[in-house]
Amino acid sequence: MHVSTLSWRQLEAVLAEEDRAVLPLGSTEQHAHLSLCTDSILAERMAVEAAEPLGVPVFPVLPYGITPYFTGYPGTVSLRVETYARLLTDVLDNLARMGVGRILLVNGHGGNAPGGAVATEWAAGQDACRVKIHNWWKAPRTLEKLVEIDPVGSHASWSENFPWTRVHGSEPAAEPSPPVDRVRMASMTPREVRAYLGSGNMGGRAQRPDEEVLSLWATGVDETREQLEGPWG
């Protein structure tokens, strides 16, 4: 259940019986023809669908992440690593304070990797709260399913093109984008990254049949739910 559908009294009642909660981690950045909020949309929806049958509350997605390389594109908002670490720590502190004992971070953005180290360090200082971070798109079975469908799928490609990340009036490219050289890209300025990537697709077809992408999504939901079910240590 998403906490936006609950009052504080209702959440208090839930937490009296359930010590787990989910915090989705997203980003606001270019995704070629897809929504600028793709990572946030996917992380939050993944969390809600995985948690709903278990009755586990899901908190609102953190919509900003670490994405300095895409700041050459309008709409991209990047946080400093220090800012992100403080933000995530503050949210974790508050979840623990309200009685959450097990927190699953469902991450939808690769640039948020420093958040994993922050969460691990934070958890080491807690006596009554555990944390797990789950990068849903590259979890083992989900990644295996992706490769089974099409081994070439990357940022802003078909692998993030779901009915709920599409934007009206923004059409996908007809031709696949070639895989990018990530090592080369890492040394580029944001302006150079934009010139190198063009539309923003980092490799693969822009779209595949919904039957295929929805099967990928279902695998991701199942694998995320398994993280909630345990083990927790």
Side-chain angles (χ1 to χ4, degrees):
M1 69 196 76
H2 197 285
V3 298
S4 65
T5 67
L6 302 174
S7 70
W8 71 263
R9 287 187 175 87
Q10 290 172 318
L11 179 61
E12 185 175 57
V14 170
L15 293 178
E17 303 292 334
E18 172 61 70
D19 77 333
R20 294 170 295 180
V22 186
L23 176 65
L25 307 178
S27 179
T28 301
E29 62 178 13
Q30 73 82 11
H31 270 82
H33 63 290
L34 301 174
S35 170
L36 283 159
C37 297
T38 289
D39 288 346
S40 296
I41 293 168
L42 296 180
E44 189 165 57
R45 186 178 181 121
M46 180 65 64
V48 169
E49 291 191 20
E52 189 67 33
L54 305 178
V56 175
V58 177
F59 281 78
V61 65
L62 293 187
Y64 300 116
I66 303 166
T67 179
Y69 32 83
F70 288 150
T71 53
Y73 291 86
T76 296
V77 177
S78 183
L79 299 182
R80 295 181 178 88
V81 173
E82 178 184 8
T83 303
Y84 190 75
R86 289 182 175 181
L87 173 63
L88 183 56
T89 298
D90 282 353
V91 176
L92 293 173
D93 282 343
N94 279 273
L95 293 179
R97 189 176 298 119
M98 69 182 70
V100 177
R102 292 177 289 174
I103 303 168
L104 179 65
L105 303 177
V106 176
N107 181 39
H109 173 56
N112 291 341
V118 170
T120 299
E121 182 179 56
W122 179 88
Q126 305 297 312
D127 293 326
C129 192
R130 296 180 182 271
V131 178
K132 292 198 291 188
I133 185 161
H134 179 62
N135 298 304
W136 78 264
W137 77 98
K138 62 177 182 179
R141 286 196 292 108
T142 303
L143 186 57
E144 181 181 2
K145 184 66 174 178
L146 184 150
V147 172
E148 174 189 315
I149 295 170
D150 185 342
V152 184
S154 188
H155 173 86
S157 75
W158 69 269
S159 62
E160 295 188 295
N161 186 339
F162 297 92
W164 40 88
T165 57
R166 296 169 193 158
V167 176
H168 179 70
S170 181
E171 297 300 320
E175 297 299 322
S177 295
V180 304
D181 183 338
R182 291 175 180 264
V183 174
R184 177 186 172 195
M185 198 180 96
S187 65
M188 294 179 179
T189 66
R191 181 177 296 180
E192 290 169 338
V193 167
R194 179 174 175 176
Y196 178 51
L197 293 181
S199 72
N201 182 340
M202 291 179 63
R205 293 173 57 178
Q207 189 166 331
R208 292 194 66 89
D210 278 355
E211 179 182 355
E212 294 179 351
V213 296
L214 293 178
S215 69
L216 174 65
W217 183 258
T219 302
V221 170
D222 288 344
E223 201 163 15
T224 302
R225 187 175 299 131
E226 289 170 4
Q227 289 294 312
L228 270 173
E229 292 173 326
W232 283 85

